[in-house]
Amino acid sequence: MASDAPRTLTVDEKFELITANTQETIRPDIIRNVLAVRPLEIFWGTATTGRPHAAYFVPVLLADLHGFLDADKAPEATREARPHYYERTIGALLRAVGVDLDNLQFVRGSSYQLTPAFSRDLLRLSKRVSVHDAVKASSDIVKSTGDPVMADGIYPMMQLLDEEYLGVDAEFGGIDQRKTFALANDTMTKAMGFRTRAHLMNPMVPGLSGGKMSSSDPKSKVDLLDEPATIQKKIAKAFCAPGKVEGNGILAFIQHVLLPYSQLESPDGKTTMSVVLKDQIEPTVFRSFSEISAAYEADQLTPQIAKKVVTDGLSKLTTSIRSMFDADVEWQRIAAEAYCQPAMPSKSTARCTPKELSKE
């Protein structure tokens, strides 16, 4: 009689699942060695600055102190509320794509970064990393508004120590963190005696107005709590050059958000997207982004059609997140405290309006 027990994946199969849709992996051998004996322990760190957006559909270290260091994008008055907002929002978006949160732990950076042990290690590390290398490591992450300040160098060194204090095997982040990850690979064992970690990087999703999508730039992003009408309006205004795939934020949404989501929804785990192309009546089924790119370059998939695909897909994907927010009074209170404008009357009990919340 055949067994109904699920088949155990090989190390190669596990590795392929872990690295799928990433752009680069530093020290993949570390990941393979761990997978041969036990599950991989990995963390994704996010500075609690602007409100999480649709490009977050990826896993959580809630780096509240990093947000404070990053050009003061997370003012001291909001540092308590923003990690709570991030935890609720990221948890909701992961549930929206069917992720089981049982093995996911949210850790607030300040819970250990303010301890004497962490401070001592930070001082030790500061003696071994040059100012040039530290500032260089954060140059693609921290938004400096002038000459580099000390916080620009402290930021990446704290991130290097996060890996040790969280006890993980690997760290996941965007390709914009490559300089920080490279510094960790070159420094942590040689300078500190800590074990070297692997680093996985996903490509950066272009913003709606060009450049990187950023939670701190409202013009570049779709907020996870935006209503369908707001999503439609933002997508309609998005830059989407006909026939051009590179740097196209609309196509990037399809590649990095909607196609992986279709794979999660598919019974056979395969990518599938049906689109009615220009001058066609019946839908065309796409099974890879290369097929979609070819159709876009041939003007069969027009910017208008691509924008409708993204609008419909994001509206569907964020429906459950909005529903959870609308039903959670505490989440609404946290959002008001974390992202309201300081001009709000101090004695008012009214919550922020969606318009006020979307300013961050």
Side-chain angles (χ1 to χ4, degrees):
M1 182 176 178
S3 172
D4 293 330
R7 183 177 65 86
T8 301
L9 298 178
T10 66
V11 169
D12 287 341
E13 289 172 329
K14 292 176 182 177
F15 181 82
E16 289 302 317
L17 282 174
I18 291 170
T19 58
N21 299 317
T22 58
Q23 183 169 328
E24 183 181 356
T25 301
I26 299 177
R27 294 297 306 271
D29 58 300
I30 293 176
I31 298 176
R32 290 183 179 276
N33 290 340
V34 171
L35 291 175
V37 295
R38 60 172 173 80
L40 186 74
E41 295 185 9
I42 186 170
F43 91 93
W44 166 52
T46 178
T48 52
T49 54
R51 290 154 58 89
H53 49 76
Y56 276 73
F57 278 106
V58 289
V60 177
L61 170 67
L62 302 173
D64 49 338
L65 294 185
H66 281 88
F68 177 68
L69 289 173
D70 190 355
D72 206 22
K73 290 192 298 187
E76 184 73 19
T78 67
R79 195 168 64 83
E80 289 298 318
R82 288 195 179 181
H84 294 297
Y85 181 84
Y86 266 63
E87 181 171 349
R88 272 180 157 78
T89 305
I90 293 172
L93 75 84
L94 291 174
R95 291 187 186 94
V97 295
V99 174
D100 184 354
L101 303 188
D102 286 348
N103 292 322
L104 183 66
Q105 180 184 10
F106 290 93
V107 179
R108 188 164 173 169
S110 58
S111 67
Y112 62 86
Q113 291 166 347
L114 296 176
T115 63
F118 190 92
S119 297
R120 183 174 59 251
D121 282 336
L122 184 59
L123 292 175
R124 288 176 56 212
L125 185 60
S126 70
K127 293 170 60 178
R128 292 164 172 80
V129 176
S130 70
V131 173
H132 172 272
D133 289 348
V135 173
K136 178 183 177 182
S138 69
S139 60
D140 292 333
I141 307 170
V142 176
K143 305 298 186 296
S144 295
T145 55
D147 291 335
V149 295
M150 290 298 296
D152 298 348
I154 294 173
Y155 187 108
M157 291 196 295
M158 289 176 62
Q159 186 172 344
L160 265 58
L161 292 174
D162 288 337
E163 299 176 354
E164 177 69 19
Y165 275 75
L166 292 172
V168 297
D169 306 305
E171 181 177 357
F172 173 76
I175 195 68
D176 60 341
Q177 299 193 54
R178 194 189 190 287
K179 293 176 183 176
T180 299
F181 292 163
L183 181 63
N185 188 62
D186 295 340
T187 303
M188 296 308 285
T189 299
K190 180 171 61 177
M192 299 293 288
F194 297 150
R195 63 188 174 99
T196 301
R197 270 72 180 188
H199 296 91
L200 302 98
M201 289 157 277
N202 66 302
M204 305 308 296
V205 177
L208 300 180
S209 55
K212 183 182 78 170
M213 179 170 290
S214 170
S215 61
S216 302
D217 180 5
K219 294 182 180 179
S220 75
K221 66 175 184 176
V222 172
D223 194 286
L224 292 170
L225 298 177
D226 280 342
E227 296 290 338
T230 303
I231 293 175
Q232 192 279 329
K233 184 177 180 180
K234 288 183 177 181
I235 297 299
K237 292 181 178 180
F239 178 74
C240 188
K244 184 178 180 181
V245 175
E246 188 71 24
N248 190 317
I250 296 299
L251 293 189
F253 261 112
I254 294 175
Q255 179 182 10
H256 298 298
V257 178
L258 300 184
L259 286 180
Y261 181 55
S262 75
Q263 191 173 10
L264 290 174
E265 282 197 314
S266 173
D268 59 4
K270 295 182 179 179
T271 299
T272 303
M273 179 171 286
S274 297
V275 182
V276 178
L277 301 177
K278 184 176 70 174
D279 300 327
Q280 299 294 317
I281 299 175
E282 297 298 323
T284 297
V285 178
F286 294 102
R287 300 195 180 278
S288 68
F289 183 68
S290 61
E291 294 177 359
I292 292 174
S293 298
Y296 191 78
E297 291 174 334
D299 198 36
Q300 297 171 321
L301 176 63
T302 65
Q304 292 76 19
I305 296 173
K307 287 182 177 183
K308 185 179 186 306
V309 169
V310 171
T311 297
D312 293 345
L314 283 179
S315 296
K316 175 185 176 183
L317 201 51
T318 55
T319 294
S320 65
I321 300 174
R322 289 191 302 273
S323 297
M324 282 185 269
F325 179 79
D326 290 340
D328 191 335
V329 175
E330 178 63 9
W331 187 359
Q332 295 167 20
R333 185 197 65 77
I334 291 169
E337 184 178 339
Y339 293 104
C340 260
Q341 300 302 302
M344 285 192 70
S346 59
K347 294 183 179 180
S348 173
T349 58
R351 295 194 301 269
C352 290
T353 65
K355 182 177 181 179
E356 287 170 327
L357 287 172
S358 65
K359 289 179 181 178
E360 285 282 344

